[in-house]
């Protein structure tokens, strides 16, 4: 079979099943093209993408500005490794550091790698700056977290599917309840070996759990009081997804218009990935100020591909698009509209319990047992009706379209979603 032969959907699915490891359970749709908020399957059917590759495609599929930056750089210089300098990395590091208002950036490729990087920086800081005795540092994490799939990261997950039979696990993590300040205060007060607190500003994979108003700011204040690093995993919530540049963003020097009036929560270590590249290329990053980032020296950490010229060009273009097209503001406005439209439907709906979220990171909770297949069946029906979404844990469906959506498109999507949900009311 030649690479360029056009497959049917079933042929493509069969190939993946036979030759690919079964580490995902995809919706049975085979996509071959994307543009903006739309994707097309191999049979030519058009869909609204309501997952955006888990919020990696915030800028829309195949954004011309990002594709141009990527292809131009690919034709010029793709990879040098960090054994040598390249003429793109420094420009990108300056651009992104100023964009997010940090002193320095450490470039990696995937979200999980960036989380690992943040954990390493935090531990080294604990020993060399805070003065915790060697090998004693603890990092506080939250129950139902999702930070990626590496051995260390799954060590502090409480998702049994992600963890079981992958032990022995990495030590040095303490789990507390999410959105529980008392639990954080207790652990910080009872243990002097805490180096950092790793938190998602909204728990995305867990089902789009938005913490109480003020939780993040108060958690940060507790961290400051105890000289503990506040580490924000904004791999999914960052880059305008939640209607602000960052879900933790409160520093009003930055470009985010929706900052003012909200509590300032500046992370000590910021973790970005996914939409940092607009979905074009694996790009992730850790940002911190000098007193923290400077604990890392030559040989302490690295990645062959991290900081390569294509990644640098793509990330700069992706961030420019967010700013030029005002995507945070658009996500904010459309998110309000989406939840208000769905709430109107939910008032009389026997099938949906609630909608929650911020900006264009939202989820609906289906009125059925945790282990029922209703959410999956609704997603199958949504697919038939031209909209792609995926259940997260149990009976929850996440809705996260590209942020380049128009108001008319959003209202069209709401009508598809409501029409589909009504099919399940009987
Ligand atoms: C997706 C995600 C990650 C992991 O990113 P990968 O690129 O899949 O490794 C980490 N943290 C959060 C919050 C995520 O949503």
């Amino acid at each position: 079979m030649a690479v360029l032969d056009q497959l049917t959907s079933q042929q493509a699915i069969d190939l993946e099943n036979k030759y690919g490891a079964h580490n995902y359970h995809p919706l049975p749709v085979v996509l071959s093209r994307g543009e903006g908020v739309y994707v097309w399957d191999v049979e030519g059917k058009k869909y609204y993408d309501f997952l955006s590759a888990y919020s990696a495609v915030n800028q829309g599929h195949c954004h011309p500005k990002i594709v141009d930056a990527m292809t131009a750089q690919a034709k010029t210089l793709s990879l040098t490794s960090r054994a040598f300098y390249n003429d793109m990395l420094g420009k990108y590091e300056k651009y992104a550091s100023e964009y997010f208002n940090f002193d320095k950036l450490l470039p990696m490729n995937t979200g999980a790698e960036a989380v690992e990087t943040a954990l390493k920086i935090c531990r080294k800081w604990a020993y060399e700056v805070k003065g915790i005795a060697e090998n004693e540092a603890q990092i506080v994490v939250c129950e139902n977290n999702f930070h990626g799939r590496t051995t260390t990261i799954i060590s502090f997950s409480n998702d049994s599917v992600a963890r079981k039979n992958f032990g022995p696990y990495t030590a040095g993590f303490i789990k507390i309840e999410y959105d529980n300040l008392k639990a954080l205060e207790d652990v910080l007060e009872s243990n002097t070996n805490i180096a950092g607190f790793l938190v998602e500003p909204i728990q995305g994979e867990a089902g789009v759990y938005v913490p109480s108003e003020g939780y993040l700011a108060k958690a940060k204040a507790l961290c400051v009081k105890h000289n503990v690093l506040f580490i924000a995993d904004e791999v999914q919530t960052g880059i305008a997804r939640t209607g602000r540049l960052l879900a933790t963003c409160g520093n009003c020097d930055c470009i985010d218009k929706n900052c003012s009036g909200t509590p300032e929560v500046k992370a000590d270590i910021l973790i970005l990935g996914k939409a940092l590249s607009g979905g074009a290329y694996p790009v992730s990053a850790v940002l911190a100020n000098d007193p923290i980032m400077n604990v890392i020296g030559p040989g302490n950490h690295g990645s062959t591909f991290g900081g390569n010229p294509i990644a640098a060009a793509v990330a700069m273009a992706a961030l420019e698009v967010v700013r030029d097209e005002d995507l945070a503001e658009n996500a904010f406005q459309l998110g309000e509209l989406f939840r208000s439209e769905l709430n109107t439907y939910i008032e009389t709906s026997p099938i949906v319990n609630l909608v929650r979220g911020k900006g264009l990171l939202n989820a609906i909770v289906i009125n059925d047992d945790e282990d029922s297949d209703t959410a999956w069946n609704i997603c199958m029906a949504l697919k038939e009706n031209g909209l792609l979404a995926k259940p997260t844990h149990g009976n929850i469906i996440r809705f996260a379209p590209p942020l380049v959506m128009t108001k008319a498109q959003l209202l069209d999507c709401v009508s598809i979603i409501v029409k589909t949900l009504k099919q399940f009311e009987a």
Side-chain angles (χ1 to χ4, degrees):
M1 183 181 300
V3 174
L4 293 176
D5 282 353
Q6 185 59 66
L7 302 176
T8 65
S9 288
Q10 195 54 54
Q11 285 173 321
I13 290 169
D14 291 345
L15 282 177
E16 283 201 28
N17 276 336
K18 182 155 167 38
Y19 295 103
H22 293 181
N23 57 329
Y24 278 87
H25 179 42
L27 218 64
V29 60
V30 181
L31 302 173
S32 59
R33 188 159 79 84
E35 189 184 319
V37 298
Y38 299 114
V39 285
W40 287 261
D41 70 16
V42 294
E43 280 82 19
K45 184 173 160 81
K46 181 180 176 182
Y47 305 89
Y48 284 107
D49 179 359
F50 252 61
L51 183 64
S52 306
Y54 301 99
S55 298
V57 192
N58 287 0
Q59 297 87 336
H61 288 275
C62 299
H63 194 292
K65 185 164 182 177
I66 300 172
V67 172
D68 284 352
M70 181 166 69
T71 50
Q73 189 60 45
K75 287 177 186 164
T76 310
L77 180 68
S78 62
L79 183 62
T80 58
S81 86
R82 299 286 302 278
F84 312 115
Y85 290 90
N86 71 65
D87 67 349
M88 291 300 294
L89 179 57
K91 278 196 265 185
Y92 159 57
E93 288 170 333
K94 176 178 194 298
Y95 184 82
S97 295
E98 289 175 357
Y99 196 100
F100 294 104
N101 208 1
F102 283 92
D103 291 340
K104 282 187 171 61
L105 175 151
L106 195 159
M108 296 296 282
N109 312 285
T110 67
E113 284 177 324
V115 172
E116 289 275 352
T117 303
L119 298 173
K120 285 177 69 179
I121 294 170
C122 180
R123 283 179 167 185
K124 205 155 186 297
W125 173 88
Y127 301 125
E128 296 175 7
V129 180
K130 181 164 177 171
I132 292 176
E134 199 179 342
N135 290 327
E136 296 297 325
Q138 300 285 319
I139 294 175
V140 177
V141 300
C142 294
E143 280 164 15
N144 302 323
N145 67 70
F146 181 84
H147 297 287
R149 301 298 200 166
T150 62
T151 312
T152 288
I153 292 172
I154 58 109
S155 292
F156 56 81
S157 163
N158 55 296
D159 176 347
S160 61
V161 178
R163 269 175 68 88
K164 191 166 178 346
N165 290 338
F166 294 117
Y169 302 113
T170 306
F173 298 94
I174 298 172
K175 228 176 286 146
I176 61 168
E177 194 181 18
Y178 187 62
D179 196 17
N180 184 335
L181 289 165
K182 180 74 169 58
L184 180 61
E185 188 168 27
D186 286 350
V187 72
L188 294 178
E189 270 170 14
S190 63
N191 189 330
T192 52
N193 288 330
I194 309 284
F197 174 49
L198 172 65
V199 65
E200 298 161 85
I202 293 173
Q203 287 192 326
E205 293 306 305
V208 189
Y209 285 100
V210 183
S212 321
E213 190 70 41
Y215 168 68
L216 296 170
K218 288 177 192 149
K220 165 78 199 258
L222 286 171
C223 288
V224 171
K225 181 175 167 200
H226 293 275
N227 195 23
V228 159
L229 300 183
F230 183 92
I231 309 170
D233 181 348
E234 294 240 28
V235 171
Q236 185 160 167
T237 54
I239 329 277
R241 169 55 56 189
T242 66
R244 317 166 74 205
L245 177 61
L246 299 173
T248 48
C249 181
N251 74 71
C252 295
D253 296 327
C254 82
I255 64 166
D256 183 358
K257 287 199 278 193
N258 295 310
C259 278
S260 51
T262 57
E264 179 161 70
V265 192
K266 170 123 181 174
D268 297 303
I269 303 181
L270 173 65
I271 306 168
L272 298 174
K274 293 196 169 118
L276 184 55
S277 73
Y281 199 79
V283 185
S284 68
V286 172
L287 292 107
N289 285 339
D290 284 336
I292 296 166
M293 194 65 98
N294 286 344
V295 301
I296 295 293
N300 289 153
H301 195 56
S303 159
T304 302
F305 281 86
N308 72 74
I310 300 178
V314 165
M316 270 192 285
L319 291 173
E320 269 168 27
V321 167
V322 169
R323 179 179 287 177
D324 291 349
E325 301 186 17
D326 229 350
L327 295 187
E329 176 70 16
N330 197 48
F332 180 83
Q333 300 294 347
L334 292 188
E336 299 283 302
L337 180 64
F338 182 77
R339 286 183 300 279
S340 103
E341 292 284 320
L342 278 183
N343 272 322
T344 305
Y345 165 70
I346 289 167
E347 275 172 25
T348 58
S349 170
I351 183 81
V352 181
N353 286 339
L354 62 92
V355 59
R356 65 171 170 240
K358 253 190 173 174
L360 284 176
L361 183 59
N362 294 291
I364 57 172
V365 178
I366 303 301
N367 181 18
D368 207 339
D369 298 336
E370 275 277 327
D371 54 0
S372 77
D373 51 10
T374 310
W376 175 268
N377 293 337
I378 290 171
C379 289
M380 291 293 283
L382 284 169
K383 169 176 101 70
E384 289 311 307
N385 293 333
L387 187 146
L388 297 178
K390 187 96 199 287
T392 84
H393 279 79
N395 53 359
I396 297 167
I397 302 174
R398 170 172 33 196
F399 289 128
L403 311 182
V404 292
M405 184 162 270
T406 65
K407 187 176 168 188
Q409 287 169 334
L410 186 92
L411 290 172
D412 190 27
C413 293
V414 168
S415 73
I416 294 172
I417 291 166
V418 169
K419 177 179 86 178
T420 307
L421 291 169
K422 283 184 171 164
Q423 289 172 220
F424 286 80
E425 284 182 6

